[in-house]
Amino acid sequence: MAGKEMTGEKKTGKKVLLIVAGGIAAYKALELIRLLRRAGCGVSCVLTDNGGRFVTPLSLQALSESKVYADLFSLTDESEMGHIELSRAADLLVVAPATANILAKMAAGVADDLATTVLLATDKPVLVAPAMNVRMWLHPATVANMATLAERGVHVVQPNEGPMACNEFGPGRLAEPPEILAAIEAVLAGPTIGAAPTSGASAPLAGRHALVTSGPTYEPIDPVRYIANRSSGRQGHAIAAALAQLGARVTLVSGPVSVADPDGVSVVHIESAREMLDACTSALPADIAVFAAAVADWRVTTAAVGKIKKRPGAEPPTLSLVANPDILASIAAAGPERPRLVVGFAAETDDLMANAQSKLARKNADWIVANDVSPSSGIMGGAENAVHLVSASGIETWPRLAKDDVARRLARRIAETFG
Ligand code: C5P
């Protein structure tokens, strides 16, 4: 029986088919197998010809305790476990490292070896962990291939930024095995980011409490009018869901939005900035706080009790404004109750980096997620985001991603910090 080849079934029943493509980062696949086995997953491996130049079938076999498949035309393999069976026996296919070449083949539907044939034949979820030279990663061909794969529902563990084996610097380094494991667990836990949270003590953020703010605030002028902004809450809600998927207990304090409450998250609905501050203060203590809300900077000094009437010939009313409390800065100054990791957002139309860095210091945040929200970016209210992660240790630029993927990546980063 095909499934018998996969070990570790007794612990989780989850089986991963790991496809190891060629690249210097293939050595990290060995550590990934070890982590997967420790997490109770069964692992079988498919090694491409190029992958076999970097790691041996023997090491994959020893760590996975399972046969390693390489040859599409091997009669033995086809009689014992055909390529369709390989995919059928798995809950998830993982390509790590995923080279520019295998990603291009996947996008084009090429099936010219065992790995690509299995990938074309499968109806199971697929997760890719790209690894390549920075110029290859940023090449329009790879960008287009990644967009095609994302559209088809392929999950992605984004590569990290850093020094590369080719003596260049930038995004393209294979994500670390614990990051890939967290993404695998998130995919195995459910089909969407709003699905049931990863449970159990092995979830990376199990036992942690995360506070997240999201959406706009409404500042009343009178009982029927208010000052607001265009925030949709999509990014904040996705972050709350992604943290819950990694096992955190999440309190989401949300302004008025049209996106649904994420599953597995406790949501406090508020309208004004002062209500948001009260809800956040009441939610403490928390280990993690992510302030993604677009809080109104000002409110009307005294909102009218009754509707302000338009009177013929009268001057329009003048609104006198007063500053709202800064929720991030207040929680970051909460003394012993300050969450260990405080993350703010900087949505700017000008001088993005300078503003983000000054916010980091001024608000006593640990990280600032900076994004350009000028109308031409299409980010405000849109489905995608292009962010830079600013911290005391430097600036990391992430590629333009779906807001769900930004959320997942941020949640993984947070999980690493609490590693
Ligand atoms: O509005 P500003 O650009 O200063 O927002 C930066 C960060 O501070 C964001 O994370 C936002 O959620 C937070 N903030 C807040 N309370 C405010 C203003 C902003 O928590 N009154």
Side-chain angles (χ1 to χ4, degrees):
M1 245 277 286
K4 282 190 186 147
E5 288 284 355
M6 305 232 178
T7 52
E9 286 143 273
K10 276 188 202 124
K11 285 193 200 158
T12 66
K14 297 295 184 189
K15 294 165 242 160
V16 171
L17 181 67
L18 177 64
I19 295 172
V20 182
I24 191 77
Y27 74 92
K28 288 188 187 172
L30 301 175
E31 174 66 1
L32 178 60
I33 296 171
R34 213 177 53 76
L35 294 180
L36 279 166
R37 300 282 291 121
R38 210 166 58 188
C41 288
V43 185
S44 271
C45 298
V46 169
L47 185 60
T48 67
D49 279 355
N50 288 338
R53 293 171 187 263
F54 294 93
V55 287
T56 66
L58 201 58
S59 16
L60 297 176
Q61 187 167 320
L63 287 165
S64 66
E65 296 181 72
S66 184
K67 183 171 163 60
V68 174
Y69 299 87
D71 187 0
L72 178 58
F73 299 107
S74 155
L75 284 180
T76 318
D77 288 358
E78 281 295 316
S79 60
E80 284 176 7
M81 167 89 90
H83 62 270
I84 302 291
E85 266 313 305
L86 266 177
S87 133
R88 256 186 217 145
D91 295 292
L92 173 68
L93 274 61
V94 177
V95 189
T99 57
N101 184 46
I102 199 163
L103 292 167
K105 286 185 185 177
M106 286 171 73
V110 172
D112 64 354
D113 62 3
L114 179 60
T116 48
T117 305
V118 173
L119 285 162
L120 194 62
T122 191
D123 57 356
K124 297 296 172 62
V126 176
L127 180 135
V128 296
M132 66 197 75
N133 164 274
V134 55
R135 281 172 222 294
M136 293 168 83
W137 175 244
L138 297 176
H139 193 284
T142 308
V143 172
N145 291 333
M146 291 307 297
T148 303
L149 295 176
E151 248 167 53
R152 289 186 199 142
V154 170
H155 302 269
V156 183
V157 190
Q158 295 294 331
N160 289 331
E161 190 171 280
M164 313 189 80
C166 50
N167 285 331
E168 294 202 54
F169 187 94
R173 279 166 64 99
L174 181 67
E176 292 306 315
E179 292 179 289
I180 304 176
L181 176 69
I184 290 172
E185 287 182 330
V187 176
L188 288 174
T192 67
I193 197 146
T198 309
S199 57
S202 69
L205 289 173
R208 306 288 179 187
H209 179 211
L211 167 66
V212 181
T213 68
S214 182
T217 60
Y218 283 7
E219 307 300 330
I221 297 171
D222 65 18
V224 295
R225 304 182 180 95
Y226 54 83
I227 299 173
N229 61 63
R230 294 182 195 282
S231 168
S232 66
R234 290 171 85 154
Q235 187 63 83
H237 278 52
I239 291 166
L243 289 167
Q245 284 238 314
L246 296 189
R249 176 170 72 83
V250 180
T251 305
L252 171 64
V253 180
S254 172
V257 292
S258 55
V259 285
D261 289 354
D263 288 342
V265 166
S266 136
V267 187
V268 183
H269 295 275
I270 53 80
E271 290 210 336
S272 69
R274 283 181 297 174
E275 289 166 0
M276 185 172 269
L277 176 60
D278 287 347
C280 288
T281 311
S282 308
L284 295 179
D287 303 284
I288 302 148
V290 181
F291 296 94
V295 184
D297 290 317
W298 306 282
R299 66 176 183 276
V300 174
T301 311
T302 314
V305 180
K307 185 183 172 194
I308 303 171
K309 295 297 290 177
K310 185 171 62 174
R311 302 196 194 282
E315 285 291 305
T318 305
L319 297 180
S320 145
L321 301 178
V322 62
N324 264 329
D326 192 307
I327 300 161
L328 189 172
S330 311
I331 301 291
E337 291 243 280
R338 183 192 192 274
R340 194 173 115 196
L341 184 70
V342 173
V343 184
F345 272 68
E348 305 287 344
T349 53
D350 304 289
D351 297 330
L352 180 60
M353 286 310 163
N355 280 319
Q357 274 166 325
S358 89
K359 254 168 221 179
L360 188 72
R362 190 158 35 85
K363 302 201 182 204
N364 192 25
D366 299 300
W367 300 350
I368 290 283
V369 180
N371 59 350
D372 176 356
V373 289
S374 37
S376 58
S377 73
I379 283 171
M380 202 80 171
E384 291 187 330
N385 210 347
V387 308
H388 311 265
L389 186 64
V390 182
S391 69
S393 53
I395 298 172
E396 214 179 274
T397 299
W398 295 1
R400 194 178 171 105
L401 296 167
K403 285 183 179 171
D404 280 354
D405 286 327
V406 170
R408 276 189 270 257
R409 186 165 171 161
L410 185 66
R412 285 201 307 273
R413 270 311 171 87
I414 291 172
E416 266 171 46
T417 305
F418 283 83

